[in-house]
Amino acid sequence: MDSATSDRQAAGAPLGDATDNGLKIVIVGGFGVGKTTMVRSVSDIRPLNTEEVMTQASQGIDDPSAVRGKTSTTVAFDFGRISLNEQTVLYLFGAPGQERFWFLWDRLFTGTLGAVVLVDTRRLADSWYAIDRLEHHGTPFIVARNDFGGPPHTAEQVREALDLPETVPLIDCDARSRESSKHVLITLVEHLHALSTANAPEPARKIATP
């Protein structure tokens, strides 16, 4: 799968002349929940990433115990792009998950129309800060549960743990899969469209003249 993904990204995909709707989307979540993986799997272009190998210098600062086998970490942000159709292009920014880089999040949220909160149900508490900051900024978001093969939780249990209102979509995904990640982004766009439609002012009624 990596080879096919690399070939697709290396070739790139120039934007069409008809493209007129560019949306900035941020993917946030705790350390090691799959943000970089999602950007890589779905991007039409070779993604920009700022991953560095984890060294002894990070010991005592980053806690990789819950994500065994992880050898690298994002130190700024990931960037990718996906064209949903001829008119709509999503610009994807994957935020770093470590607490020491959270100061970057407010900058990334500037100009963002919506966000995906990626969660690992084995570590739901790691998602609280992301949801808190999005609500603070008034940024619409959806929640996607990435599949790490942990113990199953019902949607109701996850909503309760995250104090998530019913109005926020909650879906399952596999960040390694292009189709699954694309479904996540389409769900977010549909959510943003529904919110904009619900908040749109009603057209003025014409007063019939006798």
Side-chain angles (χ1 to χ4, degrees):
M1 183 176 73
D2 291 341
S3 177
T5 301
S6 298
D7 292 343
R8 168 173 52 81
Q9 291 167 348
L15 295 178
D17 294 337
T19 300
D20 57 6
N21 192 17
L23 308 177
K24 179 182 177 182
I25 301 298
V26 174
I27 303 173
V28 295
F31 177 55
V33 296
K35 300 179 296 295
T36 296
T37 299
M38 177 170 281
V39 173
R40 283 177 175 173
S41 71
V42 79
S43 180
D44 291 337
I45 61 173
R46 185 184 298 276
L48 167 69
N49 66 70
T50 54
E51 282 212 319
E52 296 293 342
V53 175
M54 297 176 67
T55 65
Q56 291 183 347
S58 67
Q59 292 183 0
I61 301 176
D62 299 329
D63 180 12
S65 60
V67 283
R68 299 188 183 281
K70 185 173 177 60
T71 58
S72 60
T73 184
T74 301
V75 297
F77 61 85
D78 303 303
F79 173 77
R81 188 193 77 204
I82 178 173
S83 300
L84 293 184
N85 52 46
E86 292 184 356
Q87 289 77 37
T88 304
V89 175
L90 302 185
Y91 298 102
L92 310 176
F93 292 82
Q98 308 96 303
E99 184 175 353
R100 59 194 169 111
F101 294 122
W102 283 353
F103 71 93
L104 294 172
W105 286 22
D106 288 344
R107 294 286 185 90
L108 282 178
F109 291 164
T110 301
T112 298
L113 291 184
V116 173
V117 179
L118 201 58
V119 303
D120 177 352
T121 53
R122 302 170 302 175
R123 300 178 288 125
L124 286 174
D126 291 355
S127 305
W128 291 344
Y129 181 80
I131 292 174
D132 177 74
R133 296 314 300 167
L134 290 169
E135 291 178 339
H136 173 77
H137 283 270
T139 303
F141 64 93
I142 68 169
V143 174
R145 300 187 295 181
N146 197 11
D147 182 14
F148 283 92
H153 298 280
T154 66
E156 290 74 17
Q157 289 173 328
V158 174
R159 284 190 182 277
E160 182 177 359
L162 297 178
D163 193 22
L164 203 63
E166 291 292 335
T167 53
V168 176
L170 170 64
I171 62 175
D172 293 319
C173 76
D174 181 345
R176 300 167 298 179
S177 165
R178 174 174 170 81
E179 289 305 313
S180 181
S181 296
K182 188 173 182 179
H183 173 66
V184 170
L185 298 176
I186 290 174
T187 300
L188 174 60
V189 171
E190 290 175 343
H191 179 54
L192 295 175
H193 177 71
L195 291 176
S196 65
T197 301
N199 295 330
E202 293 185 5
R205 295 181 180 179
K206 293 183 178 180
I207 300 176
T209 56

